[in-house]
Amino acid sequence: MHLTELGDTVLLRQAERILAEHRIVEKLFDYPLLERDAALAAYGPMLARYRPTGS
């Protein structure tokens, strides 16, 4: 899907609002910085519910 310039702007504003409202970026600073494989092992299960299923 390709949005118009207006669509891009609206989507960006919505994303910024949600990120700010839920303090998502600030919460990321609470997690320790891990090497890639360690991060996948530590955080992968937490993010699994957001992965698309099927192919």
Side-chain angles (χ1 to χ4, degrees), residues 22-45:
H22 295 280
R23 300 189 57 226
I24 292 170
V25 174
E26 291 90 347
K27 289 177 184 178
L28 292 174
F29 292 118
D30 293 338
Y31 290 100
L33 182 62
L34 302 173
E35 293 295 327
R36 184 175 190 268
D37 291 338
L40 182 58
Y43 304 131

